[in-house]
């Protein structure tokens, strides 16, 4: 079973503050189709923040374009989210997500596609 371990959340001031979230995938992975960061604010639905594909292509929510940057370290199955010029509306629990291929020993070691979520890390932007 692949697990995602997130780090880097915290409290920062609006506009001045920056944070860097990291997410490391542990376990046996044949390949990563994509990794992403989602967020969920109180009373709102979980939304996509940024995604990076296995080939390195990225996409971002309109609300974070120009402020957030997602990057990956393929050798370490790790993804980072650099967040600059943070705003109060960025306050949320941020969740790491991975879409990956794994060999299933129950199914004669056939490659199967799976997805998993991290437990979330709190980001609070306030004066």
């Amino acid at each position: 079973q692949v697990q995602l371990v997130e780090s880097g959340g915290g409290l920062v001031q609006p506009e001045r503050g920056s944070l860097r979230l990291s997410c490391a995938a542990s376990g046996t992975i044949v390949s990563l189709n994509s990794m992403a960061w989602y967020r969920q604010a109180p009373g709102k639905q979980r939304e996509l923040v940024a995604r990076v594909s296995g080939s390195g292509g990225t996409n971002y929510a309109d609300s974070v374009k120009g402020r957030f940057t997602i990057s990956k370290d393929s050798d370490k199955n790790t993804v980072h989210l650099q967040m600059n010029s943070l705003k109060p509306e960025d306050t949320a629990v941020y969740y790491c997500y991975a879409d990956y291929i794994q060999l299933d020993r129950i199914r004669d070691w056939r490659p199967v596609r799976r997805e998993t979520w991290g437990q979330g890390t709190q980001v609070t932007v306030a004066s």
Side-chain angles (χ1 to χ4, degrees):
Q1 185 71 18
V2 171
Q3 292 186 329
L4 302 179
V5 178
E6 301 141 330
S7 61
L11 170 65
V12 295
Q13 293 185 335
E15 298 304 327
R16 300 179 182 179
S18 294
L19 284 174
R20 187 172 188 248
L21 305 183
S22 295
C23 173
S26 63
T28 304
I29 298 173
V30 174
S31 63
L32 277 168
N33 293 325
S34 69
M35 293 188 77
W37 288 96
Y38 286 73
R39 67 185 180 188
Q40 187 166 20
K44 294 188 177 181
Q45 289 188 333
R46 191 173 296 189
E47 62 174 358
L48 175 67
V49 177
R51 174 183 174 274
V52 58
S53 70
S55 61
T58 59
N59 59 285
Y60 297 89
D62 289 342
S63 60
V64 306
K65 284 180 181 177
R67 299 188 298 123
F68 291 10
T69 303
I70 191 169
S71 61
K72 68 183 181 77
D73 183 339
S74 297
D75 291 341
K76 298 180 180 179
N77 289 336
T78 299
V79 66
H80 307 284
L81 184 67
Q82 178 66 43
M83 304 185 294
N84 299 327
S85 301
L86 283 159
K87 303 176 181 180
E89 50 264 41
D90 294 318
T91 295
V93 178
Y94 284 68
Y95 296 91
C96 183
Y97 165 88
D99 171 10
Y100 60 97
I101 303 296
Q102 192 175 48
L103 298 179
D104 191 334
R105 64 182 178 86
I106 297 176
R107 300 177 185 178
D108 297 327
W109 298 104
R110 295 175 185 173
V112 293
R113 185 172 184 175
R114 294 198 168 106
E115 59 182 17
T116 191
W117 293 86
Q119 292 192 337
T121 184
Q122 177 69 47
V123 171
T124 302
V125 185
S127 300

